[in-house]
């Protein structure tokens, strides 16, 4: 599903070049759950941004679902993301001015789905995430664990084949963190491919395998038994 070849990302100023990624080769198959670990500044989030089509690499190839999309312009990257990729962030990234229902509905608006179908899908996913009773509440009225459930609901409401999770339990206590990881595991067991950046060994253990990065490069991979 995801393949990168010598993926490189360079940030340049007039005086210096910084390699955030330096020749990264990845191969992630459909239905895998993969964790990426490494110290801050090692390139984890840069890699996730490129895989999520939020940015382009400076060099190398990114092949997604069989097509080389390394050089897509922003407009085309946006089209490719719709319905294909869901995002879960450490800071939830919910819109404070929208209630829970409207936050979750947002990805469906971009897909130009009918109102009746949107309503049905949002109700189903809120029920699954056990957050239906908060549908009319606003993000600031929710606990951290509830906000992350809403964020997961928003990520999966359009049934994407790939979910990218950036430190999904980073702002949660251990109880809520484990609940979130169990939800991700359930989604993966249903066939969703998950790529997760984490500092947590506990969270990484939920994945099928762990990729370790350092200084913009993959230094080790291991299967989680």
């Amino acid at each position: 599903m995801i393949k990168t070849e010598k993926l490189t990302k360079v940030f340049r100023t007039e005086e210096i070049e910084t390699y955030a990624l330096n020749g990264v080769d990845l191969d992630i198959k459909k239905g895998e759950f993969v964790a990426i670990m490494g110290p801050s500044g090692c390139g984890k989030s840069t890699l996730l941004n490129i895989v999520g089509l939020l940015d382009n690499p400076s060099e190398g190839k990114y092949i997604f679902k069989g097509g080389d999309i390394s050089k897509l312009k922003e407009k085309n990257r946006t089209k490719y993301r719709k319905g294909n990729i869901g995002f879960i962030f450490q800071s939830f990234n919910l819109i404070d001015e929208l209630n829970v229902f409207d936050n979750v509905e947002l990805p469906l608006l971009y897909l130009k789905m009918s109102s009746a179908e949107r309503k049905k899908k949002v109700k189903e996913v809120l029920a699954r995430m056990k957050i239906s009773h908060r549908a009319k509440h606003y993000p600031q009225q929710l606990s951290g664990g509830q906000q992350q459930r809403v964020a997961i609901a928003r990520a999966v409401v359009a049934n994407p084949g790939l979910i990218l999770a950036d430190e999904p339990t980073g702002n949660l206590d251990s109880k809520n963190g484990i609940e979130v990881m169990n939800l991700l595991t359930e989604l993966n067991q249903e066939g969703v491919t998950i790529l997760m950046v984490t500092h947590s060994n506990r969270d990484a253990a939920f994945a099928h395998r762990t990729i370790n990065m350092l200084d913009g490069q993959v230094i080790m991979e291991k299967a989680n038994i």
Side-chain angles (χ1 to χ4, degrees):
M1 185 179 204
I2 295 168
K3 187 176 178 65
T4 70
E5 298 175 359
K6 300 191 182 308
L7 203 68
T8 299
K9 183 66 178 180
V10 185
F11 294 102
R12 293 182 173 91
T13 67
E14 290 182 1
E15 300 171 353
I16 194 168
E17 287 187 345
T18 302
Y19 279 76
L21 297 176
N22 192 0
V24 172
D25 294 332
L26 275 186
D27 195 349
I28 297 172
K29 293 177 174 56
K30 187 178 185 299
E32 274 200 289
F33 187 165
V34 177
I36 300 178
M37 300 190 75
S40 296
C42 73
K44 303 186 303 295
S45 292
T46 301
L47 179 60
L48 213 63
N49 284 342
I50 291 174
V51 170
L53 298 172
L54 299 174
D55 200 0
N56 276 344
S58 303
E59 297 175 24
K61 284 187 177 182
Y62 171 30
I63 297 163
F64 180 60
K65 297 174 76 171
D68 185 356
I69 54 175
S70 314
K71 308 299 182 188
L72 286 183
K73 298 190 183 307
E74 170 58 27
K75 182 179 179 181
N76 292 325
R77 291 204 309 266
T78 301
K79 285 180 182 177
Y80 227 95
R81 282 196 303 268
K82 289 177 183 176
N84 282 317
I85 303 174
F87 296 87
I88 302 169
F89 302 96
Q90 177 179 351
S91 54
F92 317 131
N93 283 20
L94 301 175
I95 298 173
D96 288 339
E97 292 77 20
L98 299 180
N99 65 25
V100 164
F101 187 98
D102 292 340
N103 264 285
V104 174
E105 183 185 32
L106 206 53
L108 303 181
L109 293 172
Y110 297 128
L111 294 174
K112 298 180 179 177
M113 200 174 281
S114 71
S115 175
E117 193 174 357
R118 293 197 309 268
K119 186 174 182 179
K120 179 174 178 287
K121 281 185 170 291
V122 173
K123 281 188 171 182
E124 285 173 352
V125 77
L126 289 180
R128 174 168 188 183
M129 297 299 152
K130 299 178 181 174
I131 202 80
S132 299
H133 61 298
R134 297 289 192 179
K136 298 302 180 187
H137 287 71
Y138 289 83
Q140 57 268 36
Q141 296 174 302
L142 306 178
S143 68
Q146 290 170 333
Q147 288 188 61
Q148 195 59 299
R149 283 176 177 270
V150 175
I152 294 172
R154 181 185 59 190
V156 304
V157 71
N159 297 317
L162 173 64
I163 289 179
L164 303 179
D166 194 354
E167 300 283 1
T169 69
N171 284 336
L172 304 178
D173 60 34
S174 58
K175 178 177 179 291
N176 281 300
I178 289 172
E179 286 182 2
V180 163
M181 292 310 303
N182 284 333
L183 285 171
L184 292 179
T185 300
E186 284 178 23
L187 291 166
N188 175 246
Q189 288 169 346
E190 292 167 9
V192 178
T193 306
I194 298 177
L195 183 60
M196 174 182 69
V197 162
T198 183
H199 281 103
S200 166
N201 287 311
R202 180 202 70 192
D203 291 359
F206 282 83
H208 299 148
R209 61 186 168 111
T210 300
I211 295 170
N212 287 88
M213 294 184 66
L214 183 67
D215 297 335
Q217 296 179 311
V218 173
I219 60 168
M220 187 176 71
E221 290 190 39
K222 68 170 183 176
N224 296 335
I225 301 172

PDB file of all heavy atoms in Angstrom, residues 73-84:
ATOM      1  N   LYS A  73       1.016  18.209  -7.096  1.00  0.00           N
ATOM      2  CA  LYS A  73       0.794  19.575  -6.618  1.00  0.00           C
ATOM      3  C   LYS A  73      -0.244  19.539  -5.497  1.00  0.00           C
ATOM      4  O   LYS A  73      -0.994  18.579  -5.350  1.00  0.00           O
ATOM      5  CB  LYS A  73       0.330  20.466  -7.761  1.00  0.00           C
ATOM      6  CG  LYS A  73       1.353  20.598  -8.878  1.00  0.00           C
ATOM      7  CD  LYS A  73       0.952  21.665  -9.859  1.00  0.00           C
ATOM      8  CE  LYS A  73       1.931  21.747 -11.028  1.00  0.00           C
ATOM      9  NZ  LYS A  73       3.323  21.889 -10.612  1.00  0.00           N
ATOM     10  N   GLU A  74      -0.292  20.608  -4.707  1.00  0.00           N
ATOM     11  CA  GLU A  74      -1.152  20.650  -3.523  1.00  0.00           C
ATOM     12  C   GLU A  74      -2.608  20.316  -3.856  1.00  0.00           C
ATOM     13  O   GLU A  74      -3.260  19.540  -3.149  1.00  0.00           O
ATOM     14  CB  GLU A  74      -1.070  22.031  -2.868  1.00  0.00           C
ATOM     15  CG  GLU A  74      -2.101  22.294  -1.774  1.00  0.00           C
ATOM     16  CD  GLU A  74      -2.046  21.285  -0.627  1.00  0.00           C
ATOM     17  OE1 GLU A  74      -0.978  20.705  -0.380  1.00  0.00           O
ATOM     18  OE2 GLU A  74      -3.098  21.082   0.012  1.00  0.00           O
ATOM     19  N   LYS A  75      -3.129  20.868  -4.944  1.00  0.00           N
ATOM     20  CA  LYS A  75      -4.524  20.628  -5.315  1.00  0.00           C
ATOM     21  C   LYS A  75      -4.780  19.136  -5.519  1.00  0.00           C
ATOM     22  O   LYS A  75      -5.787  18.587  -5.059  1.00  0.00           O
ATOM     23  CB  LYS A  75      -4.860  21.407  -6.588  1.00  0.00           C
ATOM     24  CG  LYS A  75      -6.312  21.261  -7.042  1.00  0.00           C
ATOM     25  CD  LYS A  75      -6.560  22.089  -8.287  1.00  0.00           C
ATOM     26  CE  LYS A  75      -8.002  21.929  -8.755  1.00  0.00           C
ATOM     27  NZ  LYS A  75      -8.262  22.709  -9.994  1.00  0.00           N
ATOM     28  N   ASN A  76      -3.855  18.463  -6.193  1.00  0.00           N
ATOM     29  CA  ASN A  76      -4.020  17.036  -6.453  1.00  0.00           C
ATOM     30  C   ASN A  76      -3.760  16.187  -5.217  1.00  0.00           C
ATOM     31  O   ASN A  76      -4.368  15.126  -5.038  1.00  0.00           O
ATOM     32  CB  ASN A  76      -3.106  16.604  -7.604  1.00  0.00           C
ATOM     33  CG  ASN A  76      -3.538  17.197  -8.928  1.00  0.00           C
ATOM     34  OD1 ASN A  76      -4.727  17.349  -9.174  1.00  0.00           O
ATOM     35  ND2 ASN A  76      -2.587  17.544  -9.772  1.00  0.00           N
ATOM     36  N   ARG A  77      -2.841  16.655  -4.345  1.00  0.00           N
ATOM     37  CA  ARG A  77      -2.622  15.940  -3.082  1.00  0.00           C
ATOM     38  C   ARG A  77      -3.900  15.948  -2.253  1.00  0.00           C
ATOM     39  O   ARG A  77      -4.278  14.947  -1.642  1.00  0.00           O
ATOM     40  CB  ARG A  77      -1.478  16.575  -2.281  1.00  0.00           C
ATOM     41  CG  ARG A  77      -0.109  16.396  -2.882  1.00  0.00           C
ATOM     42  CD  ARG A  77       0.999  16.504  -1.840  1.00  0.00           C
ATOM     43  NE  ARG A  77       0.922  17.684  -1.010  1.00  0.00           N
ATOM     44  CZ  ARG A  77       1.555  18.819  -1.251  1.00  0.00           C
ATOM     45  NH1 ARG A  77       2.308  18.942  -2.336  1.00  0.00           N
ATOM     46  NH2 ARG A  77       1.459  19.836  -0.430  1.00  0.00           N
ATOM     47  N   THR A  78      -4.590  17.098  -2.239  1.00  0.00           N
ATOM     48  CA  THR A  78      -5.840  17.221  -1.489  1.00  0.00           C
ATOM     49  C   THR A  78      -6.883  16.246  -2.016  1.00  0.00           C
ATOM     50  O   THR A  78      -7.567  15.559  -1.242  1.00  0.00           O
ATOM     51  CB  THR A  78      -6.373  18.663  -1.573  1.00  0.00           C
ATOM     52  OG1 THR A  78      -5.396  19.553  -1.034  1.00  0.00           O
ATOM     53  CG2 THR A  78      -7.667  18.817  -0.791  1.00  0.00           C
ATOM     54  N   LYS A  79      -6.998  16.146  -3.333  1.00  0.00           N
ATOM     55  CA  LYS A  79      -7.958  15.208  -3.934  1.00  0.00           C
ATOM     56  C   LYS A  79      -7.627  13.774  -3.551  1.00  0.00           C
ATOM     57  O   LYS A  79      -8.509  12.967  -3.264  1.00  0.00           O
ATOM     58  CB  LYS A  79      -7.936  15.349  -5.457  1.00  0.00           C
ATOM     59  CG  LYS A  79      -8.625  16.591  -5.992  1.00  0.00           C
ATOM     60  CD  LYS A  79      -8.546  16.613  -7.511  1.00  0.00           C
ATOM     61  CE  LYS A  79      -9.190  17.871  -8.068  1.00  0.00           C
ATOM     62  NZ  LYS A  79      -9.049  17.938  -9.553  1.00  0.00           N
ATOM     63  N   TYR A  80      -6.341  13.448  -3.541  1.00  0.00           N
ATOM     64  CA  TYR A  80      -5.894  12.085  -3.245  1.00  0.00           C
ATOM     65  C   TYR A  80      -6.167  11.721  -1.781  1.00  0.00           C
ATOM     66  O   TYR A  80      -6.456  10.566  -1.459  1.00  0.00           O
ATOM     67  CB  TYR A  80      -4.394  11.965  -3.540  1.00  0.00           C
ATOM     68  CG  TYR A  80      -4.021  10.737  -4.333  1.00  0.00           C
ATOM     69  CD1 TYR A  80      -3.898  10.791  -5.713  1.00  0.00           C
ATOM     70  CD2 TYR A  80      -3.772   9.529  -3.697  1.00  0.00           C
ATOM     71  CE1 TYR A  80      -3.550   9.662  -6.447  1.00  0.00           C
ATOM     72  CE2 TYR A  80      -3.415   8.400  -4.426  1.00  0.00           C
ATOM     73  CZ  TYR A  80      -3.305   8.472  -5.795  1.00  0.00           C
ATOM     74  OH  TYR A  80      -2.970   7.360  -6.512  1.00  0.00           O
ATOM     75  N   ARG A  81      -6.054  12.719  -0.898  1.00  0.00           N
ATOM     76  CA  ARG A  81      -6.273  12.461   0.536  1.00  0.00           C
ATOM     77  C   ARG A  81      -7.722  12.109   0.830  1.00  0.00           C
ATOM     78  O   ARG A  81      -8.011  11.286   1.693  1.00  0.00           O
ATOM     79  CB  ARG A  81      -5.891  13.693   1.371  1.00  0.00           C
ATOM     80  CG  ARG A  81      -4.427  13.887   1.600  1.00  0.00           C
ATOM     81  CD  ARG A  81      -4.155  14.858   2.728  1.00  0.00           C
ATOM     82  NE  ARG A  81      -4.741  16.161   2.545  1.00  0.00           N
ATOM     83  CZ  ARG A  81      -4.136  17.191   1.974  1.00  0.00           C
ATOM     84  NH1 ARG A  81      -2.911  17.056   1.500  1.00  0.00           N
ATOM     85  NH2 ARG A  81      -4.731  18.361   1.858  1.00  0.00           N
ATOM     86  N   LYS A  82      -8.645  12.777   0.125  1.00  0.00           N
ATOM     87  CA  LYS A  82     -10.070  12.641   0.435  1.00  0.00           C
ATOM     88  C   LYS A  82     -10.517  11.186   0.335  1.00  0.00           C
ATOM     89  O   LYS A  82     -10.375  10.548  -0.699  1.00  0.00           O
ATOM     90  CB  LYS A  82     -10.909  13.488  -0.532  1.00  0.00           C
ATOM     91  CG  LYS A  82     -10.793  14.982  -0.324  1.00  0.00           C
ATOM     92  CD  LYS A  82     -11.607  15.716  -1.377  1.00  0.00           C
ATOM     93  CE  LYS A  82     -11.474  17.218  -1.259  1.00  0.00           C
ATOM     94  NZ  LYS A  82     -12.196  17.916  -2.349  1.00  0.00           N
ATOM     95  N   GLY A  83     -11.076  10.690   1.429  1.00  0.00           N
ATOM     96  CA  GLY A  83     -11.602   9.337   1.426  1.00  0.00           C
ATOM     97  C   GLY A  83     -10.560   8.238   1.493  1.00  0.00           C
ATOM     98  O   GLY A  83     -10.900   7.076   1.693  1.00  0.00           O
ATOM     99  N   ASN A  84      -9.265   8.601   1.315  1.00  0.00           N
ATOM    100  CA  ASN A  84      -8.192   7.601   1.342  1.00  0.00           C
ATOM    101  C   ASN A  84      -7.428   7.567   2.653  1.00  0.00           C
ATOM    102  O   ASN A  84      -6.954   6.522   3.071  1.00  0.00           O
ATOM    103  CB  ASN A  84      -7.187   7.865   0.207  1.00  0.00           C
ATOM    104  CG  ASN A  84      -7.683   7.406  -1.143  1.00  0.00           C
ATOM    105  OD1 ASN A  84      -8.248   6.331  -1.259  1.00  0.00           O
ATOM    106  ND2 ASN A  84      -7.482   8.224  -2.159  1.00  0.00           N
TER     107      ASN A  84
END
